[in-house]
Amino acid sequence: MIPWTLLGTANIPNDGGELRLSQRGDDFSIHLKGVRGELMSSRMHSSELALAALGCAHIKESEKSKVLVGGLGMGFTLAAALKVISINSQVVVAELVSEVIEWNKGPLGECADRPLDDSRVEVHLGDVAELFITGQATYDAILLDVDNGPEGFTQAGNNNLYSNESLQAMRQTLHPGGVLAIWSAWHDPKFIQQLKKNDFKVKAETVRAHKGKGSRHTIYLARKFHGA
Ligand SMILES: C[S@@+](CC[C@H](N)C(=O)[O-])C[C@H]1O[C@@H](n2cnc3c(N)ncnc32)[C@H](O)[C@@H]1O
């Protein structure tokens, strides 16, 4: 069997540890050093595509829309969002780790057909949470896949992202009818209740990791009520 080759390492801000990019043949893996495990694999990315397809389904016919993707990873969700939205639309992709952006400009970019080259994409280097501070209705969809579910994994600070305060801030940055879509490796009924308590209309879809097979992942779809 071909061994994995380490292509690069990066420090995750806020003492989050070390992120490592490895390659074996055509496969790439981004994992957290030590026992913390894999954050993203290029082999299984069907549910990352589903995050964009489900989270952007309501803007498929829109002439102009604005989508926020957090974070970049291997670019699958970003590329899938670009396929749904119109030519006049825009995607802001927030990525915490600068090296992830550089890796996507290098060999990793091939995974999702180099979505960063698309002129509709604007990159925000930093914490996605910084984009929720404005409190201004800006986005039609927010596609969030920064951890393995609604609890901090990449860095402990990400726990705050799933707090009531943060969910309210995300809700405010959505236009009425807009959708917050969150990727998760597990199904958490308590998180669904929490989203409902924060005035979202909620649905959870089960999707498979790899072409209708493999692990079951959950996409939480939280819609901001019209007129809210
Ligand atoms: C699981 S990967 C995303 C996979 C992506 N959906 C794809 O299609 O390849 C998680 C990404 O989120 C980034 N990240 C983690 N916490 C973040 C945060 N608070 N703000 C922005 N990006 C973050 C990580 O560095 C990593 O690149």
Side-chain angles (χ1 to χ4, degrees):
M1 191 189 278
I2 313 171
W4 284 99
T5 305
L6 184 65
L7 296 186
T9 63
N11 288 325
I12 302 168
N14 312 318
D15 294 327
E18 188 178 277
L19 209 58
R20 314 187 113 212
L21 172 66
S22 308
Q23 182 174 14
R24 184 172 69 185
D26 292 337
D27 297 335
F28 291 89
S29 166
I30 296 178
H31 59 279
L32 296 154
K33 190 182 173 186
V35 289
R36 290 168 66 203
E38 192 166 64
L39 189 59
M40 183 68 210
S41 152
S42 64
R43 267 170 303 133
M44 281 177 273
H45 58 263
S46 298
S47 58
E48 284 76 9
L49 303 180
L51 173 66
L54 294 167
C56 294
H58 64 297
I59 48 173
K60 225 161 114 183
E61 308 295 332
S62 299
E63 268 183 31
K64 196 172 180 182
S65 54
K66 190 161 180 174
V67 176
L68 171 60
V69 174
L72 175 61
M74 297 183 176
F76 291 112
T77 303
L78 173 61
L82 288 165
K83 282 198 179 128
V84 176
I85 61 169
S86 72
I87 197 150
N88 301 314
S89 299
Q90 201 196 351
V91 184
V92 178
V93 59
E95 174 52 54
L96 186 66
V97 181
S98 60
E99 287 85 346
V100 171
I101 299 168
E102 291 314 311
W103 296 340
N104 272 272
K105 289 179 182 167
L108 194 57
E110 298 301 336
C111 289
D113 219 7
R114 304 204 165 272
L116 290 183
D117 292 349
D118 193 304
S119 58
R120 294 171 293 170
V121 176
E122 182 190 312
V123 177
H124 172 82
L125 169 60
D127 196 317
V128 66
E130 291 160 6
L131 301 177
F132 305 132
I133 295 169
T134 66
Q136 298 222 323
T138 308
Y139 304 107
D140 299 290
I142 298 172
L143 312 177
L144 203 60
D145 178 16
V146 295
D147 296 303
N148 277 349
E151 59 185 47
F153 177 68
T154 310
Q155 57 162 357
N158 279 2
N159 276 319
N160 298 334
L161 268 177
Y162 314 103
S163 66
N164 290 333
E165 201 186 4
S166 166
L167 292 174
Q168 282 298 327
M170 292 190 221
R171 196 176 149 277
Q172 278 180 13
T173 56
L174 281 170
H175 289 301
V179 169
L180 164 64
I182 302 176
W183 188 98
S184 178
W186 61 88
H187 180 79
D188 181 352
K190 277 202 211 123
F191 187 59
I192 294 179
Q193 288 314 314
Q194 192 190 349
L195 287 165
K196 285 183 179 169
K197 277 192 191 133
N198 282 285
D199 293 324
F200 285 105
K201 188 178 173 197
V202 188
K203 246 180 29 179
E205 297 275 358
T206 301
V207 292
R208 304 300 286 266
H210 184 60
K211 296 181 181 167
K213 293 188 279 188
S215 309
R216 286 180 165 78
H217 298 153
T218 300
I219 310 288
Y220 302 101
L221 295 163
R223 183 183 282 263
K224 178 172 175 174
F225 290 101
H226 278 282

